[in-house]
Structure formats: C-alpha cells, structure tokens
Amino acid sequence: MGSHHDEYQVQPGKILTRPFFILLFFVLVGLALIAYRFFAGVGAVTGLSDGYPWGIWIAYDVATGTAFACGGYALALLIYIMNRWKYHPLIRSAILTSVFGYCLAGFSVMVDLGRYWNAYGFFMPSRWQGNSVMFEVALCVMSYSTVLIIEFLPAVLYTLEHSKWKWVRESSHWLYARLIPDTDALRNGLTNVSKAAGHLQVRLDKVLIFFIVLGITLPSMHQSSLGSMMIIAGEKLSPLWQTGFLPLLFLINCIFIGYSTVMFESILSSFGFKRAYEVHELSGIARIVPWVAGLWMAIRFGDLIWRNQIPTILTFDKNALFFLLEVLLIGGGAFMMLSRKNRLSPRLLFLSGALLMLGGGLYRFNVYLIGFNPGEGWSYFPSVAEFLITVGIIAIEILGYLTLVKIFPVMPNPKKHFAEEGEEMVEETAGQVAPGGVYAGK
Amino acid sequence: MKSTTRRDFLKMMGMTGAACLACAAPLSASTGPAGESETAIAMLYDATKCVGCKACMAACKRVNMEQNNLSYEYLPTDGDKLWDAPKDLSGDTRTVIKLYKESDTRFSYVKHSCMHCTKPGCVSACPVKAMTKDPVTGVVAYNKNACIGCRYCQVACPYNIPRFQWDKALPQIVKCDFCKDTNLKAKGMPACSETCPAGAIAFGKRTDLLAEAHNRIKENPDRYIPKVYGEKEVGGANHLYLAAFPFQKLGLPELKEESPAAFSEHIQHTIYKGFIAPVALYGTLAAIALRNKKKQEDLGHGEDD
C-alpha cells in the first residue's frame, strides 16, 4: 500500500458530530467501570465464577473481535498472494479496522487479567512456556498488533508530510502571547517533521512488503491457535465443538469472516458517509465467500459425522439449537452470494456480510462460552457492568475509525477508482475537459 | 498469470491444511497416559474412614493463610464470626469436606482438593510457568510472582480445582500444593494429613499408596466400590480416592484416561515443531508476494506517483 497514495482520500467532514458524542458517552461509561474494576476486583464488575472463568471479554472481545478484525488479513491474502490488485484501494480501511480490533482485544485482556502487573513475563524468556497455546496466541497477537500499526503507518506519514499544520498554527496563534514566543522556530520544527515523515516514508515503502507478509503469517498462526486454546478444556466443551480440527476450523472461519467484514463495513461506511458503493470490488470478494464458507462447512460436518455427533444435534437441546443457528447463519449468508445478481446488490452484500459475521462469530462464541459447561451448579450471564465495558470498547473502535478516516487518507478514492477502469479513455478526454474539468480536479 | 498464482495459493493453503490435519492424528505413544515417576508423593483419601469433622479444613487454612492471602468465610447467621464455613473450594479455601447423603443411614463425606495430575492441564495451559509440576515429587504448585491471572488454568482443569480471588484488587489463584512450602517443609506431611483424627488421609509415595488402596479393596470388597479414583483419570493423579459410592455421586467427574492437555500439546507441537512450518509459510508467502508485487510494478502501477 506504499506508493499508491492517490488510491486513498481523507474523508471530508467535521469530526465532532452527533454520533461522535454519543459514542464518546459509551466510551466514558466503559472507562469508568474499568477504573472501578481495578479497585474492586474482577468479580465486582462481572458475572464470572470459578466454573466460568472466562466471559464475554474473552469470548467476544478477543476470540470473536479479532476475527471481525481479520479484514486486513483476508484482503492482504487476496491482493498480495492471489495477485488481485484491484482490491488494493479497500485495504487501508480494512487495516484500520484491524488495528482497532486487535489493539482493543489486547486492551480487553489487560482489563481481564487478574495479575496484570505480571504481564511483563511474556517478555522474559525464562518464563516462556512453550506448551501453552495461550503463550503462542499472546506473543502472536502482540506482534501482529505492532505489524498492523506499521502497515497503517504510510497513511500517517503521508498526512504528516503533506499537512499544512493548520490546527497547530491556529492553536499556537491562540497561545501566542503566553507560551509560543517564536513562530519561526515552530514553523521550522513543523517543516522538519514533514520532511522527516517524507524521508521515512520512502524507506518504509521499500521494506513494507516484508511486514505485509508477516501480517499474513501471524494471523494464520494465532487464529488457528485461538481454536487450539479450547482443546485443553476437554470434556467441558460440548462434543459439538470439541475436536482436533478446532485450529483448522478457526483459521478458515476467520478468512470468511474477514471478507464478510470488508463487505459489511464498506457498504455501511459508504452509506454513512454518503459515498458511492464499491459494488464492483465487493462483488469480486463476495464471489470467494461461498467457497471458503463451503469448505468450512464441509470440514465441520465431516468431523461431526466422523465422530458420530449427528445424534447430538438431533436432541435439540440448548447446544444443538445454537449449533443450528450458527450453521443457518453461515449457510444463509454464503448461499446468498452464489448468485451473481445478488452480488451486485449493495443491500444483499451488506446482509450477507452481516449474516456471515453473526454466524461465524457465533461459532467462536459457542466454542468459548455457550458450548462450555464446567459441570453442575455453575452458570454464567454477563453482568450489566461487564456488558457495558464491552460496549465501551466497541464504541472506542467505531469512534476511532470515524475520527481517523477524517484525518488520514484511508477511504478508497472514487476518482482514482473509476479512472483505472478505462485509463486510455480518460487520458484522451482529459485534454478536452481540462483545465477545470472532472479529472483534472484537485 | 492468474492461474499460476491461484495454484500457489492452493499450495499454500494445502500446506497449512496438512499441518492442521496432522492434528487429527491419534496420540503418539510419548504423550499417552504416562505413569507417574517412582519418586512421586501422593495422598490417599478414604471416604469410608472420614468422619466429617473438618479438622483438615481448619488446619489447611491456618497453615497456608499467609502464603495465599486467605480469609475466613463466615455465614450470615454467624454474627460472632466464630466458624469458618466455606461452602466450596474458593479463593479463600484450598480444601473442603462435603457431604453426600443418599438416605438417613447411607451417606458419605468427600474431600475436595487438587488432584496433582500426572499430566496436569493447568501446567500445560499456563503461559508464564506460574503452574509447575515438580519432576521428583510430582507436586503441582502455584507461583503467584509469575502468575498474570489469566485463569486459563481454571479453563484447563477437568476437576475445577484452581480458584480465583474474584473480590480482591490484587488477586491470586488458590489451590492445594501439598503444603509444599509450609507444613510439608516443616513437618514432612501436609497439614490435613497430619491433623486427621480418623486416619482417612494417608500420605506417602504414590506407588505405596496405590498398592495400599488396592489392598484395602481386596480385603474389604463390601466396604468399597472396586475402583481407585485418580489412578487413571486423565492420565492419573497423585491424589487417590477410595469410597463406598460411585465417585460421580460424590461430585468427582467421570473422566477418560486420555489427557486433553497431552492432546493439546500434541497438536501444538505438530504444527510448530522446530518452528519450521511458520518459517516455511513466511518464506513461501514472501516469495509469492514479492513476485506479484514486481509483476504489478512492471505493469506500471508502482511508479505512478
């Protein structure tokens, strides 16, 4: 994504909108409850118990949330490995979603950890425990979060390089009399920052591909390991989900969830920002989805048949119903995208994306929570505070996304987009239309 | 052009798939239910001898209170705060005596505490070596100075033994460690075993106690059900039980002989053996991505700005 800066644009519009303040309210409520948790203990804000030591913070924020954040991974796989560069304009917004998804999953874990002050143990080789699946997941997720930030860096550097620093100048003007006596020094400093950003950008461009590949390898590792995590729960996890295929199922699951998230998010943000829908690109992505989801479904059912678990489904107990819901959502969402006509409808692209996210997410939720039964006498339902903390974290993600797309060039540039379709034609007409014509516009 | 890259992609997917498929392979001999070492120490609780006096509970809490930052658990009706009355294992209680009552004349007490498994799930799960198994004594112990409080040990334990101090700002995991640093060190045996007035808690070498347990069943076949709980459960344990009732009725889960921890490690080590698969994956992906990027630049899309 290095040198293609004109593929992206800063979303115009005010940052401090009404949705901004509504989201901010939920963020502040969440943060206040998190602060309370650090004084009163994990038990004071959650419905957790010794039988259900993990609740929605792990099942949603980490296990499901990181799958929703796999858009960057799934798109990178498509662009760089399958050589489909036409999807390139979509990647920055996907990466930005991934940055928030992963960083906030890490943040949720720090809230959830009982003895968080010992977390530095992950950086001490003497404490590394190679048999632990969580050890692998933790290191991998931390590395991947760093890689994602590096992958997003070109957008930040571009803004730093080209910024007119209007905001800084205005506020320094306001402070002038008291604090900033030397506008020249400030101007020089800002110019240097811009220069340095431009300098760094060129260097980063050359090595970025190696980070991008790392950004494909790491999720392949930890997304499968997120599945392996629950193997050790043994018979506590219902046989509908407990299988040696958990790592493979989690890996494929995150790929189709990744594409669904791109579909869902692209349509939603186009709708919200009143931009043209990227139907052309999205329909291409949507074409892949039924195959990935179909492969997942085949392994899922093959495994259940192999382990003689079909009768378990036919009991129609709570677990079986959640299993059926999961399969129906995924199957429905994937089936819809088999038809070419449906793939060209923004409404159905959105619906299919949403169904696949819900179904794929429910699969993970089932593995971590609903299918988990520690034995008689235990029950779990998230407390209000626990739920509000998760809502607060989701609010941070949306708020961050809405704000950063208005600061950095993240959204696909529609002009560049359509220009690529018929490049020759554009060049021909450009002479006639310009100056002041459509394509010569700034 | 597109067809070759698709082939590359499928090849890559095949590699990942193959690595994952290896997961489904049966357990290798090395990770099967292993025997406990000759030197392992163990505890044999005979439910038919237990009189339910709970002296073991009191001794356990007294001896380990400071080390684990334990508290007394009072009943709401106990205004004078005279009796420690835990209902179950908890962040304040490492061992508990419970009653199973079938009728007015037929009942049994049962003691719950850590099973000190031969292949412990908690040790396998812990990412930072806070749960460890002593290779000589077989004691599974907890180190609060390494613990991050992730509670994966609780998820991994088939007996739901490790407990967490939910209501403390600076919580710990709490579980029996055979009084490793307290009574065992000072007096050569765990506090519960030392205190028991009924001789229901024998302590010694696992091999001896296992023979003793089978001997008791042989000599009094009417008194016991013919099974030593802990001999084979999830690969065996260093806490053995004898009882007159099926163990499930006493609240001890019915478990297979295979250890989920061993299975989990088998899968993880198959995928990550020598870190070859991740490096190979990175190498393959990098080669494909670099080639694709070059192709793209040759098309003239690389230098357009």
Side-chain angles (χ1 to χ4, degrees), chain B residues 78-125:
Chain B
D78 181 11
D80 297 327
K81 300 199 167 174
L82 282 172
W83 308 101
D84 180 32
K87 287 201 193 95
D88 197 353
L89 295 175
S90 73
D92 292 314
T93 300
R94 292 163 39 136
T95 188
V96 72
I97 296 286
K98 286 188 181 179
L99 170 68
Y100 164 71
K101 197 168 172 185
E102 199 159 84
S103 69
D104 282 345
T105 50
R106 280 183 56 74
F107 59 87
S108 172
Y109 294 104
V110 58
K111 179 177 182 287
H112 291 282
S113 63
C114 176
M115 296 295 289
H116 296 274
C117 301
T118 303
K119 181 68 204 168
C122 58
V123 173
S124 175

Short mmCIF file of all heavy atoms in Angstrom, two decimals, chain B residues 78-125:
data_model
loop_
_atom_site.label_atom_id
_atom_site.label_comp_id
_atom_site.label_asym_id
_atom_site.label_seq_id
_atom_site.Cartn_x
_atom_site.Cartn_y
_atom_site.Cartn_z
N ASP B 78 -23.79 -16.20 61.47
CA ASP B 78 -22.73 -16.29 62.48
C ASP B 78 -22.26 -14.88 62.83
O ASP B 78 -21.18 -14.45 62.43
CB ASP B 78 -21.59 -17.14 61.91
CG ASP B 78 -20.44 -17.32 62.89
OD1 ASP B 78 -20.61 -16.96 64.07
OD2 ASP B 78 -19.39 -17.80 62.46
N GLY B 79 -23.09 -14.17 63.60
CA GLY B 79 -22.78 -12.78 63.94
C GLY B 79 -21.49 -12.63 64.73
O GLY B 79 -20.80 -11.62 64.63
N ASP B 80 -21.15 -13.64 65.51
CA ASP B 80 -19.94 -13.57 66.34
C ASP B 80 -18.68 -13.95 65.58
O ASP B 80 -17.57 -13.91 66.13
CB ASP B 80 -20.09 -14.48 67.55
CG ASP B 80 -21.24 -14.04 68.44
OD1 ASP B 80 -21.48 -12.81 68.51
OD2 ASP B 80 -21.91 -14.91 69.03
N LYS B 81 -18.88 -14.37 64.34
CA LYS B 81 -17.74 -14.77 63.50
C LYS B 81 -16.86 -15.82 64.18
O LYS B 81 -15.66 -15.64 64.36
CB LYS B 81 -16.92 -13.53 63.10
CG LYS B 81 -17.75 -12.52 62.32
CD LYS B 81 -16.90 -11.55 61.55
CE LYS B 81 -17.77 -10.78 60.58
NZ LYS B 81 -17.09 -9.73 59.87
N LEU B 82 -17.50 -16.91 64.57
CA LEU B 82 -16.78 -17.97 65.26
C LEU B 82 -16.31 -19.07 64.31
O LEU B 82 -15.27 -19.67 64.53
CB LEU B 82 -17.69 -18.60 66.32
CG LEU B 82 -17.85 -17.80 67.61
CD1 LEU B 82 -18.93 -18.42 68.48
CD2 LEU B 82 -16.54 -17.73 68.36
N TRP B 83 -17.11 -19.33 63.27
CA TRP B 83 -16.85 -20.51 62.45
C TRP B 83 -16.50 -20.14 61.01
O TRP B 83 -17.19 -19.37 60.39
CB TRP B 83 -18.08 -21.43 62.43
CG TRP B 83 -18.57 -21.77 63.78
CD1 TRP B 83 -19.62 -21.22 64.42
CD2 TRP B 83 -18.01 -22.74 64.66
NE1 TRP B 83 -19.76 -21.77 65.67
CE2 TRP B 83 -18.78 -22.71 65.85
CE3 TRP B 83 -16.92 -23.62 64.58
CZ2 TRP B 83 -18.51 -23.54 66.94
CZ3 TRP B 83 -16.65 -24.44 65.65
CH2 TRP B 83 -17.43 -24.40 66.82
N ASP B 84 -15.43 -20.74 60.54
CA ASP B 84 -15.11 -20.64 59.13
C ASP B 84 -15.99 -21.66 58.42
O ASP B 84 -15.91 -22.85 58.71
CB ASP B 84 -13.63 -20.98 58.91
CG ASP B 84 -13.20 -20.89 57.47
OD1 ASP B 84 -13.78 -20.05 56.74
OD2 ASP B 84 -12.30 -21.65 57.05
N ALA B 85 -16.86 -21.19 57.55
CA ALA B 85 -17.83 -22.12 56.96
C ALA B 85 -17.89 -22.03 55.44
O ALA B 85 -18.91 -21.65 54.87
CB ALA B 85 -19.21 -21.87 57.56
N PRO B 86 -16.81 -22.37 54.75
CA PRO B 86 -16.87 -22.32 53.28
C PRO B 86 -17.80 -23.38 52.73
O PRO B 86 -17.84 -24.50 53.24
CB PRO B 86 -15.43 -22.58 52.85
CG PRO B 86 -14.77 -23.24 54.00
CD PRO B 86 -15.51 -22.84 55.23
N LYS B 87 -18.54 -23.04 51.69
CA LYS B 87 -19.47 -23.99 51.08
C LYS B 87 -18.75 -24.85 50.05
O LYS B 87 -19.19 -25.93 49.72
CB LYS B 87 -20.60 -23.22 50.37
CG LYS B 87 -21.59 -22.59 51.32
CD LYS B 87 -22.90 -22.34 50.56
CE LYS B 87 -23.81 -21.43 51.34
NZ LYS B 87 -23.68 -20.01 50.95
N ASP B 88 -17.66 -24.31 49.52
CA ASP B 88 -16.99 -24.99 48.42
C ASP B 88 -15.54 -24.51 48.40
O ASP B 88 -15.18 -23.61 49.15
CB ASP B 88 -17.70 -24.61 47.09
CG ASP B 88 -17.35 -25.57 45.97
OD1 ASP B 88 -16.49 -26.45 46.17
OD2 ASP B 88 -17.95 -25.45 44.88
N LEU B 89 -14.75 -25.10 47.53
CA LEU B 89 -13.43 -24.54 47.29
C LEU B 89 -13.63 -23.11 46.82
O LEU B 89 -14.61 -22.81 46.15
CB LEU B 89 -12.71 -25.33 46.19
CG LEU B 89 -12.34 -26.78 46.48
CD1 LEU B 89 -11.75 -27.40 45.22
CD2 LEU B 89 -11.37 -26.88 47.63
N SER B 90 -12.70 -22.23 47.15
CA SER B 90 -12.84 -20.84 46.71
C SER B 90 -11.49 -20.16 46.78
O SER B 90 -10.49 -20.79 47.13
CB SER B 90 -13.83 -20.10 47.61
OG SER B 90 -13.22 -19.87 48.87
N GLY B 91 -11.49 -18.88 46.47
CA GLY B 91 -10.27 -18.10 46.58
C GLY B 91 -9.78 -17.99 48.01
O GLY B 91 -8.70 -17.45 48.26
N ASP B 92 -10.55 -18.49 48.96
CA ASP B 92 -10.14 -18.48 50.36
C ASP B 92 -9.96 -19.89 50.94
O ASP B 92 -9.61 -20.04 52.10
CB ASP B 92 -11.18 -17.73 51.20
CG ASP B 92 -11.19 -16.26 50.88
OD1 ASP B 92 -10.09 -15.67 50.81
OD2 ASP B 92 -12.27 -15.69 50.68
N THR B 93 -10.25 -20.90 50.15
CA THR B 93 -10.28 -22.26 50.69
C THR B 93 -9.65 -23.25 49.73
O THR B 93 -10.11 -23.39 48.60
CB THR B 93 -11.75 -22.65 50.98
OG1 THR B 93 -12.27 -21.73 51.92
CG2 THR B 93 -11.85 -24.05 51.53
N ARG B 94 -8.60 -23.93 50.22
CA ARG B 94 -7.87 -24.87 49.36
C ARG B 94 -8.39 -26.29 49.45
O ARG B 94 -8.13 -27.10 48.59
CB ARG B 94 -6.38 -24.86 49.72
CG ARG B 94 -5.75 -23.55 49.37
CD ARG B 94 -4.39 -23.23 50.01
NE ARG B 94 -3.43 -24.28 50.16
CZ ARG B 94 -2.13 -24.14 49.88
NH1 ARG B 94 -1.68 -23.02 49.37
NH2 ARG B 94 -1.30 -25.10 50.12
N THR B 95 -9.07 -26.62 50.54
CA THR B 95 -9.67 -27.95 50.63
C THR B 95 -11.01 -27.84 51.35
O THR B 95 -11.19 -26.94 52.19
CB THR B 95 -8.75 -28.97 51.34
OG1 THR B 95 -9.32 -30.27 51.22
CG2 THR B 95 -8.56 -28.64 52.80
N VAL B 96 -11.94 -28.73 51.00
CA VAL B 96 -13.26 -28.64 51.60
C VAL B 96 -13.82 -30.05 51.77
O VAL B 96 -13.54 -30.95 50.97
CB VAL B 96 -14.20 -27.75 50.74
CG1 VAL B 96 -14.60 -28.45 49.46
CG2 VAL B 96 -15.42 -27.30 51.51
N ILE B 97 -14.54 -30.27 52.89
CA ILE B 97 -15.23 -31.54 53.10
C ILE B 97 -16.70 -31.32 52.78
O ILE B 97 -17.32 -30.38 53.26
CB ILE B 97 -15.10 -32.00 54.57
CG1 ILE B 97 -13.63 -32.28 54.92
CG2 ILE B 97 -15.98 -33.22 54.83
CD1 ILE B 97 -13.07 -33.56 54.34
N LYS B 98 -17.25 -32.20 51.93
CA LYS B 98 -18.67 -32.09 51.59
C LYS B 98 -19.37 -33.40 51.97
O LYS B 98 -18.71 -34.43 52.15
CB LYS B 98 -18.83 -31.86 50.09
CG LYS B 98 -18.46 -30.45 49.65
CD LYS B 98 -18.86 -30.28 48.20
CE LYS B 98 -18.51 -28.92 47.67
NZ LYS B 98 -18.89 -28.81 46.26
N LEU B 99 -20.68 -33.31 52.09
CA LEU B 99 -21.47 -34.48 52.44
C LEU B 99 -22.31 -34.92 51.26
O LEU B 99 -22.98 -34.09 50.62
CB LEU B 99 -22.39 -34.14 53.63
CG LEU B 99 -23.46 -35.20 53.97
CD1 LEU B 99 -22.84 -36.47 54.54
CD2 LEU B 99 -24.47 -34.64 54.96
N TYR B 100 -22.27 -36.23 50.98
CA TYR B 100 -23.21 -36.78 50.02
C TYR B 100 -24.17 -37.67 50.79
O TYR B 100 -23.75 -38.60 51.48
CB TYR B 100 -22.50 -37.59 48.93
CG TYR B 100 -23.45 -38.48 48.16
CD1 TYR B 100 -24.35 -37.91 47.26
CD2 TYR B 100 -23.48 -39.85 48.35
CE1 TYR B 100 -25.25 -38.69 46.58
CE2 TYR B 100 -24.37 -40.65 47.67
CZ TYR B 100 -25.26 -40.07 46.78
OH TYR B 100 -26.16 -40.84 46.11
N LYS B 101 -25.46 -37.38 50.71
CA LYS B 101 -26.44 -38.11 51.52
C LYS B 101 -27.42 -38.82 50.61
O LYS B 101 -28.16 -38.19 49.85
CB LYS B 101 -27.18 -37.11 52.42
CG LYS B 101 -27.90 -37.76 53.56
CD LYS B 101 -28.36 -36.70 54.55
CE LYS B 101 -29.25 -37.31 55.60
NZ LYS B 101 -29.79 -36.28 56.50
N GLU B 102 -27.41 -40.16 50.68
CA GLU B 102 -28.34 -40.93 49.84
C GLU B 102 -29.63 -41.19 50.61
O GLU B 102 -30.72 -41.11 50.07
CB GLU B 102 -27.70 -42.24 49.41
CG GLU B 102 -28.37 -42.88 48.22
CD GLU B 102 -27.44 -43.86 47.52
OE1 GLU B 102 -27.36 -45.02 47.96
OE2 GLU B 102 -26.77 -43.44 46.56
N SER B 103 -29.50 -41.53 51.92
CA SER B 103 -30.66 -41.69 52.80
C SER B 103 -30.19 -41.35 54.20
O SER B 103 -29.03 -40.99 54.39
CB SER B 103 -31.17 -43.13 52.74
OG SER B 103 -30.22 -43.99 53.36
N ASP B 104 -31.08 -41.48 55.20
CA ASP B 104 -30.68 -41.11 56.55
C ASP B 104 -29.56 -42.01 57.09
O ASP B 104 -28.80 -41.60 57.97
CB ASP B 104 -31.90 -41.18 57.49
CG ASP B 104 -32.77 -39.95 57.33
OD1 ASP B 104 -32.27 -38.97 56.73
OD2 ASP B 104 -33.94 -39.97 57.76
N THR B 105 -29.47 -43.21 56.57
CA THR B 105 -28.44 -44.11 57.08
C THR B 105 -27.27 -44.28 56.13
O THR B 105 -26.20 -44.73 56.53
CB THR B 105 -29.04 -45.51 57.35
OG1 THR B 105 -29.75 -45.92 56.18
CG2 THR B 105 -29.97 -45.49 58.54
N ARG B 106 -27.50 -43.94 54.87
CA ARG B 106 -26.41 -44.12 53.90
C ARG B 106 -25.92 -42.76 53.41
O ARG B 106 -26.62 -42.06 52.70
CB ARG B 106 -26.89 -44.98 52.73
CG ARG B 106 -26.90 -46.47 53.06
CD ARG B 106 -27.30 -47.33 51.87
NE ARG B 106 -26.48 -47.15 50.66
CZ ARG B 106 -25.24 -47.62 50.52
NH1 ARG B 106 -24.66 -48.26 51.51
NH2 ARG B 106 -24.59 -47.42 49.39
N PHE B 107 -24.72 -42.42 53.83
CA PHE B 107 -24.13 -41.15 53.37
C PHE B 107 -22.61 -41.28 53.36
O PHE B 107 -22.05 -42.25 53.89
CB PHE B 107 -24.57 -40.00 54.28
CG PHE B 107 -24.20 -40.19 55.71
CD1 PHE B 107 -22.95 -39.78 56.18
CD2 PHE B 107 -25.08 -40.77 56.61
CE1 PHE B 107 -22.61 -39.95 57.51
CE2 PHE B 107 -24.73 -40.96 57.94
CZ PHE B 107 -23.49 -40.54 58.39
N SER B 108 -21.98 -40.30 52.74
CA SER B 108 -20.52 -40.32 52.70
C SER B 108 -19.99 -38.88 52.68
O SER B 108 -20.61 -38.00 52.11
CB SER B 108 -20.03 -41.05 51.44
OG SER B 108 -18.63 -40.90 51.31
N TYR B 109 -18.88 -38.67 53.35
CA TYR B 109 -18.18 -37.40 53.21
C TYR B 109 -17.23 -37.51 52.03
O TYR B 109 -16.86 -38.61 51.62
CB TYR B 109 -17.41 -37.06 54.49
CG TYR B 109 -18.32 -36.82 55.65
CD1 TYR B 109 -18.49 -37.77 56.65
CD2 TYR B 109 -19.02 -35.61 55.74
CE1 TYR B 109 -19.36 -37.55 57.71
CE2 TYR B 109 -19.89 -35.38 56.79
CZ TYR B 109 -20.06 -36.36 57.78
OH TYR B 109 -20.91 -36.13 58.81
N VAL B 110 -16.85 -36.38 51.51
CA VAL B 110 -15.86 -36.38 50.43
C VAL B 110 -15.00 -35.12 50.54
O VAL B 110 -15.51 -34.04 50.83
CB VAL B 110 -16.51 -36.52 49.03
CG1 VAL B 110 -17.51 -35.40 48.77
CG2 VAL B 110 -15.47 -36.57 47.94
N LYS B 111 -13.71 -35.32 50.36
CA LYS B 111 -12.78 -34.18 50.48
C LYS B 111 -12.37 -33.74 49.07
O LYS B 111 -11.99 -34.57 48.24
CB LYS B 111 -11.54 -34.63 51.25
CG LYS B 111 -10.47 -33.56 51.44
CD LYS B 111 -9.34 -34.13 52.29
CE LYS B 111 -8.25 -33.12 52.57
NZ LYS B 111 -7.40 -32.82 51.42
N HIS B 112 -12.49 -32.46 48.81
CA HIS B 112 -12.06 -31.94 47.51
C HIS B 112 -10.78 -31.13 47.69
O HIS B 112 -10.68 -30.29 48.59
CB HIS B 112 -13.13 -31.02 46.91
CG HIS B 112 -14.36 -31.77 46.48
ND1 HIS B 112 -14.43 -32.50 45.33
CD2 HIS B 112 -15.57 -31.90 47.07
CE1 HIS B 112 -15.62 -33.04 45.21
NE2 HIS B 112 -16.34 -32.70 46.26
N SER B 113 -9.82 -31.40 46.83
CA SER B 113 -8.63 -30.54 46.73
C SER B 113 -7.89 -30.94 45.46
O SER B 113 -8.35 -31.82 44.73
CB SER B 113 -7.72 -30.73 47.96
OG SER B 113 -7.24 -32.05 48.02
N CYS B 114 -6.78 -30.28 45.21
CA CYS B 114 -6.07 -30.51 43.93
C CYS B 114 -5.70 -31.98 43.77
O CYS B 114 -5.27 -32.63 44.70
CB CYS B 114 -4.82 -29.64 43.86
SG CYS B 114 -3.85 -29.95 42.38
N MET B 115 -5.86 -32.48 42.54
CA MET B 115 -5.57 -33.89 42.25
C MET B 115 -4.09 -34.12 41.93
O MET B 115 -3.65 -35.25 41.83
CB MET B 115 -6.42 -34.34 41.05
CG MET B 115 -7.91 -34.33 41.29
SD MET B 115 -8.45 -35.51 42.53
CE MET B 115 -8.21 -37.06 41.68
N HIS B 116 -3.32 -33.07 41.73
CA HIS B 116 -1.90 -33.20 41.37
C HIS B 116 -1.72 -34.22 40.24
O HIS B 116 -1.03 -35.24 40.40
CB HIS B 116 -1.07 -33.57 42.61
CG HIS B 116 -1.09 -32.49 43.65
ND1 HIS B 116 -0.21 -31.43 43.64
CD2 HIS B 116 -1.91 -32.30 44.70
CE1 HIS B 116 -0.49 -30.63 44.67
NE2 HIS B 116 -1.51 -31.14 45.33
N CYS B 117 -2.33 -33.91 39.10
CA CYS B 117 -2.35 -34.82 37.96
C CYS B 117 -0.94 -35.18 37.48
O CYS B 117 0.01 -34.40 37.61
CB CYS B 117 -3.07 -34.17 36.77
SG CYS B 117 -4.74 -33.70 37.13
N THR B 118 -0.86 -36.35 36.87
CA THR B 118 0.39 -36.78 36.24
C THR B 118 0.69 -35.88 35.03
O THR B 118 1.83 -35.49 34.80
CB THR B 118 0.26 -38.23 35.76
OG1 THR B 118 -0.08 -39.03 36.89
CG2 THR B 118 1.54 -38.73 35.16
N LYS B 119 -0.38 -35.56 34.26
CA LYS B 119 -0.22 -34.63 33.13
C LYS B 119 -1.19 -33.48 33.35
O LYS B 119 -2.30 -33.47 32.83
CB LYS B 119 -0.55 -35.39 31.82
CG LYS B 119 -0.40 -34.56 30.57
CD LYS B 119 1.03 -34.21 30.28
CE LYS B 119 1.13 -32.96 29.43
NZ LYS B 119 2.49 -32.42 29.36
N PRO B 120 -0.79 -32.52 34.18
CA PRO B 120 -1.76 -31.50 34.61
C PRO B 120 -2.12 -30.50 33.51
O PRO B 120 -1.25 -29.96 32.84
CB PRO B 120 -1.03 -30.78 35.75
CG PRO B 120 0.31 -31.42 35.86
CD PRO B 120 0.55 -32.26 34.67
N GLY B 121 -3.42 -30.27 33.35
CA GLY B 121 -3.90 -29.29 32.39
C GLY B 121 -3.43 -27.89 32.75
O GLY B 121 -3.03 -27.12 31.88
N CYS B 122 -3.46 -27.57 34.03
CA CYS B 122 -3.10 -26.21 34.45
C CYS B 122 -1.66 -25.87 34.08
O CYS B 122 -1.37 -24.78 33.63
CB CYS B 122 -3.35 -26.02 35.95
SG CYS B 122 -2.45 -27.19 36.99
N VAL B 123 -0.76 -26.86 34.27
CA VAL B 123 0.66 -26.62 33.97
C VAL B 123 0.84 -26.45 32.46
O VAL B 123 1.58 -25.57 31.99
CB VAL B 123 1.52 -27.80 34.49
CG1 VAL B 123 2.96 -27.65 34.03
CG2 VAL B 123 1.46 -27.87 36.00
N SER B 124 0.12 -27.27 31.69
CA SER B 124 0.21 -27.19 30.24
C SER B 124 -0.35 -25.88 29.71
O SER B 124 0.15 -25.31 28.74
CB SER B 124 -0.56 -28.36 29.63
OG SER B 124 -0.58 -28.26 28.23
N ALA B 125 -1.41 -25.38 30.39
CA ALA B 125 -2.09 -24.18 29.90
C ALA B 125 -1.33 -22.91 30.25
O ALA B 125 -1.28 -21.98 29.45
CB ALA B 125 -3.50 -24.11 30.49
#
